[in-house]
Amino acid sequence: MHQITPTDADDDAPAISRQVARAQRRQARSLYHRGWQLTQIAAELGVKYGTLAAWKSRDAWDDDAPIAVVEDRLEARLATLLDKEPFTEGDMKRADFMMRQLERAARIRKFDKTGREGDLNPKIEKRNNEEAKAKRADKRKNFLSREQWQALLDDFHDWCFDYQAEWWEQRHQRVRKIRKSRQIGATVYFSRESVAKVAEAILATLDGEMDAAPRNQIFLSASQRQANKFRREIVKWVRRVTGVELKGNPIMLDLSFPAETDEDGEPQALPAMDAVGFYPLSTNSATAQGESGDFYFDEFAWVHGFTELNGVASGMATHKIYKKTYFSTPSTKTHQSYGFWSGEEWNAGRAKGEQQPFDISHRNLRNGAIMPDGSWQQLVTIHDAVAKGLGKLVDVDELRREYSDERFRNLFECEDIDDSESSFPYVRLAPARVDSFYKWRDFAPALIEIPGGRPFGDKPVWLGYDPNKQGRDDAALAVLAPPEKPGGKFRVLEKIRLNGLDFAGQADAIRAVCKRYNVTDISIDTTGHGQAVWELVSKWFPLARKIEYSVATKTALVIKGQNVFRAGRIEFDAGWTDVMQAFMAIRPTLTGSQRGVTYTARRNGEIGHADIAWAILHALSNEPLDAGAEIQAPAGRVRFLN
């Protein structure tokens, strides 16, 4: 059997010797860096001089960096301090100090390898991390990061219907003219398109395409209130996608991007870009000028004095880099914009041999076409939009049941209105349109949405209400400011749709409106649900007037309205094209006996489609028929009673 001997017991000795040797080697280097001579170190440690010389050469003591010498000293002092007994509070502070110095030495070593200042100074690193960048971006007004611009562009493309994607594909056209069906999302689309174009240009510029600089985006509408709708859509969308609240009017973007780190870890300055803004402007010759950029002309077929205003507006896009987009529902062939659309205006100033026909048929323009004047034109009916994605939101058969054939063709199939037989033709209505944002300084529409707000203060208003008839979904309420003096002007302050409510809901909605205005008169058509609405309203407003429709009643309403429009005694916001359409729909027709004339706005042969127009006429009936005449005989106001 094998016996344990002293030699066997000493098998671990070489390992201990190696540990001792490593400790001596390290201590020798430490003494050397403190200025000791090799002979002194040999005497101190009991190591042969030749061994020390070999260690010095092999480990290249003379080539040690200063930071290595400092680390060695710190480590030695720290080890000695930690072995000290007793370990006092002062020792703890000294140990903490030396640990922090070792951390600092480690950062210096890392800096030597990377060259990044953040590795040397943790405050700089913290200042440049993603969280800090996000905080700084939040503090900067109207600044979006590269990632946020990309998120907007991605969301835009995911959101578009196919026909809107076609509009995007044509964004580089110098001029786009689009006639469209009602309610297919053109305003919201072009609001987002303007942002997407800027996003696309910013991202391209950041990637080094220096000829892709972003441009100003300008929105022209019939009134400032309508133009501000573009701004609201932009702000709402950007907030939803990025969380950034764009501010200001116009919205001016901050395009000063901080330097980015390249693949080698080096800071890389990004290209500088000129300031870019989103400008909502009204089609007023005093305001629709002065800026340069791409512009969008909203509902151009409804703008009064289109030819003059278009000349002013086109000046904003004189340079060839700028793009012009016109989009609108159709109005009438007598409107100035029709010649612009049909090519008559372009051909008018050319010799007969140079004139070219514009094929503006739906067959030619369904998918868009380049016209002789170089513009890209498209005609998008409700059928086209439904076939290209809108069918998720719209039921065409249901719309056909709700509108007469003539109104359906105008609103949804892009046919111009024939107002030759209208009781309120376009030329009669157009002068009543004003930019209420600038003209009505005593009216604050922003207060309408604020609980307890008083948008018109304590000034009196009259309400006119046209209920839904026989269950049709077309109730409307009009808020009119009466003239401040006899013969003065009416102003239509609000128009409110009350669709989808039963008679009790309609009465409650009228009461809610009364809480924000000083209402002195309410007139209600008692046809259909109107009787029930009137009964509820009269309980808390006993002076509510009941209007019962008859041939004489409608005739009196229309005659009063014609008198007010003819005398130029009424104003409404120029962006309200639906008010124009409603009045133009009213026309004289024979009664059922064929012996008299009445006034109708046909919807499947029955009265009721021009609901907002009738609501306004109801309110106007509170004024005597002969008001505004130079010599007024004593007269009472018009009342319609049993």
Side-chain angles (χ1 to χ4, degrees):
M1 174 179 279
H2 180 69
Q3 300 291 324
I4 298 176
T5 64
T7 305
D8 295 326
D10 291 340
D11 284 347
D12 289 336
I16 296 173
S17 297
R18 286 196 295 271
Q19 291 176 359
V20 171
R22 282 197 295 271
Q24 287 180 331
R25 194 166 179 168
R26 189 164 187 175
Q27 187 176 6
R29 185 179 66 178
S30 179
L31 292 172
Y32 181 78
H33 286 319
R34 282 182 246 174
W36 287 41
Q37 300 292 326
L38 291 182
T39 54
Q40 295 172 321
I41 298 172
E44 175 72 17
L45 300 180
V47 178
K48 293 180 180 180
Y49 181 90
T51 301
L52 290 173
W55 289 350
K56 174 188 173 187
S57 174
R58 191 177 306 129
D59 295 340
W61 290 355
D62 289 331
D63 294 335
D64 283 343
I67 192 65
V69 176
V70 172
E71 285 177 322
D72 178 77
R73 298 294 300 276
L74 286 169
E75 185 178 347
R77 289 293 303 275
L78 183 61
T80 302
L81 188 61
L82 292 174
D83 288 337
K84 180 177 176 291
E85 291 291 347
F87 192 71
T88 66
E89 184 176 348
D91 296 332
M92 187 182 300
K93 290 180 179 179
R94 283 188 286 273
D96 179 68
F97 168 76
M98 284 184 279
M99 285 296 297
R100 283 186 277 114
Q101 300 311 306
L102 282 173
E103 291 175 5
R104 196 168 180 181
R107 289 197 297 270
I108 292 173
R109 283 190 176 278
K110 191 174 181 181
F111 172 75
D112 287 340
K113 293 179 180 179
T114 65
R116 292 178 185 162
E117 195 173 354
D119 293 332
L120 190 62
N121 186 342
K123 291 183 178 179
I124 293 177
E125 183 177 9
K126 189 175 181 180
R127 201 158 58 226
N128 290 329
N129 64 22
E130 292 303 318
E131 184 180 355
K133 288 179 180 178
K135 272 188 182 178
R136 288 199 299 274
D138 287 341
K139 290 181 181 179
R140 294 173 63 178
K141 181 180 177 181
N142 298 344
F143 174 79
L144 282 79
S145 67
R146 177 198 286 265
E147 294 74 20
Q148 288 170 325
W149 283 116
Q150 185 63 58
L152 285 168
L153 198 57
D154 293 341
D155 186 80
F156 171 76
H157 289 304
D158 292 340
W159 167 81
C160 285
F161 289 125
D162 290 345
Y163 61 93
Q164 294 169 327
E166 290 176 357
W167 293 344
W168 173 257
E169 290 172 2
Q170 301 298 327
R171 67 192 180 281
H172 299 304
Q173 295 287 350
R174 167 70 168 158
V175 179
R176 290 180 294 180
K177 302 177 191 175
I178 299 168
R179 295 188 90 179
K180 65 175 187 72
S181 164
R182 184 184 189 186
Q183 295 297 313
I184 64 170
T187 300
V188 64
Y189 166 79
F190 286 115
S191 300
R192 296 188 181 190
E193 183 199 79
S194 67
V195 178
K197 284 165 57 179
V198 170
E200 182 182 53
I202 288 173
L203 293 172
T205 302
L206 293 178
D207 289 337
E209 298 181 32
M210 300 310 296
D211 58 345
R215 303 183 291 270
N216 288 332
Q217 304 294 306
I218 304 168
F219 310 96
L220 301 175
S221 292
S223 71
Q224 191 62 46
R225 286 173 70 180
Q226 182 69 15
N228 285 340
K229 184 178 179 182
F230 285 95
R231 183 188 179 281
R232 291 193 298 272
E233 292 291 349
I234 290 171
V235 170
K236 180 172 64 176
W237 180 48
V238 172
R239 180 175 58 237
R240 179 179 64 80
V241 176
T242 70
V244 175
E245 184 79 21
L246 297 180
K247 298 178 180 179
N249 194 358
I251 298 169
M252 300 303 299
L253 298 176
D254 181 350
L255 300 182
S256 300
F257 287 84
E260 295 181 351
T261 303
D262 62 16
E263 296 178 356
D264 299 326
E266 296 291 333
Q268 184 71 38
L270 295 175
M273 286 175 267
D274 294 334
V276 166
F278 298 95
Y279 296 84
L281 303 176
S282 65
T283 49
N284 180 313
S285 59
T287 59
Q289 55 185 327
E291 304 299 335
S292 295
D294 298 346
F295 78 74
Y296 297 87
F297 205 145
D298 180 25
E299 293 293 358
F300 71 94
W302 291 93
V303 172
H304 185 52
F306 170 79
T307 301
E308 178 185 356
L309 288 169
N310 189 40
V312 174
S314 294
M316 297 186 295
T318 300
H319 296 176
K320 64 182 181 180
I321 62 170
Y322 299 130
K323 315 303 177 186
K324 299 183 281 188
T325 301
Y326 301 80
F327 63 99
S328 177
T329 52
S331 56
T332 71
K333 290 186 178 181
T334 58
H335 191 271
Q336 290 180 349
S337 68
Y338 186 78
F340 175 72
W341 168 262
S342 66
E344 294 174 8
E345 180 183 297
W346 185 79
N347 281 315
R350 285 171 166 74
K352 191 171 182 179
E354 297 177 356
Q355 295 180 2
Q356 299 181 51
F358 281 53
D359 184 353
I360 57 173
S361 66
H362 179 235
R363 181 180 59 182
N364 184 52
L365 298 184
R366 177 186 289 114
N367 296 314
I370 301 295
M371 307 307 280
D373 63 354
S375 65
W376 181 82
Q377 290 187 202
Q378 188 181 32
L379 196 153
V380 185
T381 68
I382 192 69
H383 309 293
D384 300 325
V386 165
K388 296 178 180 179
L390 194 65
K392 300 175 183 177
L393 306 177
V394 171
D395 185 332
V396 176
D397 292 334
E398 185 177 273
L399 291 176
R400 282 193 182 279
R401 289 192 296 270
E402 292 180 3
Y403 294 89
S404 68
D405 289 342
E406 181 182 4
R407 293 294 290 155
F408 184 85
R409 290 196 301 271
N410 168 242
L411 294 174
F412 301 106
E413 294 183 332
C414 301
E415 288 191 12
D416 291 279
I417 299 171
D418 180 6
D419 65 342
S420 60
E421 297 180 359
S422 173
S423 299
F424 297 91
Y426 180 90
V427 292
R428 181 69 49 78
L429 301 171
R433 304 172 73 193
V434 298
D435 193 336
S436 62
F437 183 87
Y438 291 108
K439 190 168 184 180
W440 300 347
R441 309 309 294 181
D442 57 345
F443 178 56
L447 296 179
I448 292 173
E449 304 297 332
I450 298 177
R454 302 282 288 180
F456 203 50
D458 291 326
K459 293 185 177 182
V461 300
W462 299 347
L463 303 187
Y465 186 60
D466 186 69
N468 55 2
K469 300 177 176 65
Q470 299 179 6
R472 292 194 300 270
D473 208 22
D474 55 358
L477 177 67
V479 181
L480 267 67
E484 295 182 354
K485 59 183 180 179
K489 289 189 175 184
F490 290 92
R491 290 179 287 171
V492 185
L493 303 181
E494 269 196 77
K495 56 181 181 67
I496 305 163
R497 301 279 179 181
L498 299 180
N499 301 339
L501 300 175
D502 61 12
F503 66 91
Q506 295 173 42
D508 290 341
I510 294 173
R511 189 165 194 172
V513 172
C514 289
K515 290 181 180 179
R516 61 176 178 261
Y517 291 102
N518 175 21
V519 178
T520 59
D521 181 75
I522 302 177
S523 52
I524 299 176
D525 169 18
T526 55
T527 307
H529 285 172
Q531 177 66 32
V533 174
W534 176 82
E535 289 178 2
L536 292 176
V537 171
S538 61
K539 289 180 180 180
W540 51 265
F541 196 92
L543 297 179
R545 292 188 295 122
K546 179 193 292 188
I547 298 179
E548 293 187 346
Y549 269 13
S550 67
V551 173
T553 299
K554 288 185 286 182
T555 300
L557 289 171
V558 171
I559 289 175
K560 177 61 181 178
Q562 289 175 327
N563 176 268
V564 170
F565 276 100
R566 188 180 297 111
R569 296 184 54 234
I570 186 169
E571 297 176 343
F572 57 87
D573 191 77
W576 291 353
T577 58
D578 56 339
V579 173
M580 297 279 290
Q581 292 169 327
F583 273 105
M584 289 165 62
I586 298 174
R587 58 190 62 196
T589 58
L590 291 175
T591 60
S593 67
Q594 304 294 300
R595 295 179 180 179
V597 175
T598 186
Y599 294 89
T600 64
R602 292 188 302 275
R603 179 204 289 224
N604 293 338
E606 298 188 20
I607 302 168
H609 176 67
D611 45 291
I612 189 61
W614 289 117
I616 292 171
L617 292 176
H618 296 164
L620 290 175
S621 70
N622 190 42
E623 183 187 69
L625 281 171
D626 58 352
E630 289 187 27
I631 301 176
Q632 294 186 23
R637 62 188 178 187
V638 179
R639 286 188 178 275
F640 304 99
L641 304 171
N642 288 333

